[in-house]
């Protein structure tokens, strides 16, 4: 065991509590606890006045805030319309959740105004932020108190996986940048495979079998639950120009490449570089776990009939892991399966420290993960729950999702990762960091594999020049609704 998290007895107790919590979570998710939710009462709490729903719809469709606002500015001219108690907008990823996605969308539209439920294949979150919220703000500026109250109280429910939730959160960050507060908090109906964001904020880890009875309870919790803060992390990557990168959707090309200049560079710098940036909420990783994820994603895209839902995805993923050499690494001479120490220099800024500090990469580590949440790989907690004396000895602090720190840990060969995933041991603790800088140089390595919140990519390596990954906290928090 790499770090003492509890005695054997305490560990057994923790696993019993975890199992019991999972059962309770499942019961809650299935809508079997608490009082019955009246459909008509809920609809009154959620539904915006008709003129506001139509104004938002037309603004998004026409991509013209002013025209839609002018058309509906007389909608509340008599001042009789009032904002609902809990105005809600829902984004549904209808491709998630197996066959239930379209049915869920229809059910949600029955429980509130149809125009308040958006299918992500038709309306993107950034379009809603620019035109939908923009329309409410325009009407509020024209003296419409109902529009202003609706905008101020608005919450967003996302029915999808972690990637979908991150997409919505990322779009909402534009409100911070543009000074358009308040920023609506986000609740979740989990439709993905891992659902770690959902688990971390009390929304459960899976789409309940009794989902029709659970939807009303989820909506009620979404408008009444307390709001929590969540750190988000900006990633900037610089690669030598000429190295072809096929980035995931969350990683965009950028002309700005302002890497921290306070560090010496071991390798040579190329004359020209390509830069990419993105934001993550749960984790960034490099190494074997990202390689397995990359292969699995390509397998699923080539043979979509193999992946019919979360359970089949997990079974295929587990089997695919065994084919990638992680379990047989000590017996294989391929340098791409050796430790990351061969290719990475890592620097971090620790808690309450402005100076970079180099952190040695353990020789045995084949995957490095920088984790923001307590939930990773479908609800596991590889960082564990270290005792106070261990934290003090290592210079760590207790981990929280809004503490401005990432927990950096390593996974060794597949057997070590397997024991970590079933929480028999904790991962290899490396550091806690307020910022991270990775210098990656290929040598014998042709490719490195990276992933960000479950979206993997293959990073071609240069023998002559280094690639850089720099991670820093976004200066404002994202807001989540707690579903517990």
């Amino acid at each position: 065991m790499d770090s003492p998290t509890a005695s054997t007895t305490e560990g057994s107790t923790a696993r019993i509590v975890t199992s019991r919590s999972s059962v309770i979570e499942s019961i809650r998710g299935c809508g079997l606890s608490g009082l019955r939710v009246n459909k008509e009462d809920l609809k009154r709490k959620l539904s915006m006045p008709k003129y506001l729903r139509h104004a938002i719809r037309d603004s998004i469709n026409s991509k013209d805030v002013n025209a839609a606002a002018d058309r509906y500015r007389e909608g509340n001219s008599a001042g009789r319309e009032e904002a609902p108690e809990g105005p809600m907008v829902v984004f549904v990823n209808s491709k998630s959740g197996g066959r239930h996605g379209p049915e869920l969308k229809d059910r949600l539209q029955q429980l509130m105004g149809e125009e308040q439920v958006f299918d992500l294949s038709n309306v993107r979150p950034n379009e809603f932020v620019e035109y939908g919220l923009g329309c409410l703000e325009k009407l509020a500026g024209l003296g419409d108190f109902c529009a202003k109250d609706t905008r101020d109280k608005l919450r967003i429910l996302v029915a999808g996986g972690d990637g979908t939730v991150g997409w919505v959160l990322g779009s909402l960050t534009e409100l911070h940048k543009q000074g358009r507060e308040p920023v609506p908090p986000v609740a979740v109906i989990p439709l993905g495979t891992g659902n770690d964001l959902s688990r971390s904020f009390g929304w459960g880890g899976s789409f309940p079998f009794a989902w029709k009875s659970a939807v009303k309870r989820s909506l009620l919790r979404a408008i009444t639950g307390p709001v929590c803060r969540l750190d988000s992390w900006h990633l900037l990557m610089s690669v030598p120009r000429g190295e072809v990168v096929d980035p995931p959707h969350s990683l965009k090309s950028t002309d700005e490449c302002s890497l921290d200049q306070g560090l010496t560079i071991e390798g040579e710098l190329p004359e020209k570089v390509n830069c990419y940036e993105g934001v993550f909420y749960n984790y960034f990783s490099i190494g074997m776990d990202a390689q397995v994820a990359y292969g699995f994603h390509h397998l699923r895209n080539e043979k979509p009939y193999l992946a019919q839902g979360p359970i089949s995805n997990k079974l295929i993923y587990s089997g695919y892991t065994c084919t990638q050499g992680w379990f047989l690494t000590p017996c294989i001479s391929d340098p791409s399966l050796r430790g990351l120490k061969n290719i990475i220099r890592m620097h971090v800024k620790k808690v309450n420290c402005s100076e970079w500090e180099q952190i040695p990469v353990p020789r045995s580590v084949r995957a490095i993960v920088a984790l923001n949440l307590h939930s990773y790989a479908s609800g596991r907690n590889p960082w564990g729950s270290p005792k106070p004396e261990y934290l003090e000895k290592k210079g760590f602090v207790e981990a929280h999702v809004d503490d401005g720190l990432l927990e950096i840990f390593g996974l060794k060969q597949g057997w070590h990762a397997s024991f970590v995933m079933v929480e028999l041991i904790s991962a290899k603790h490396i550091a806690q960091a307020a910022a991270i800088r990775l210098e990656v140089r290929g040598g014998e390595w042709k490719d490195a594999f990276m992933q960000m919140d479950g979206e993997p990519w293959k990073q071609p390596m240069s023998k002559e020049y280094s690639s850089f990954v720099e991670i820093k906290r976004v200066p404002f928090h994202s807001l989540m609704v707690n579903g517990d």
Side-chain angles (χ1 to χ4, degrees), residues 49 59 78 122 233 244 256 265 336 358 379 393 447 465 469 471:
S59 181
N122 300 322
W233 296 86
V244 180
E256 297 184 13
I265 295 172
S336 67
Q358 184 170 357
K393 177 182 176 182
D447 302 297
Y465 304 115
V469 175
I471 299 171

Side-chain angles (χ1 to χ4, degrees), residues 1-7 385-391 394 426 429:
M1 184 179 296
D2 292 302
S3 68
T5 60
S7 66
S385 301
K387 294 181 179 180
E389 54 268 28
Y390 175 79
L391 293 174
K394 290 288 188 177
S426 61
H429 292 171

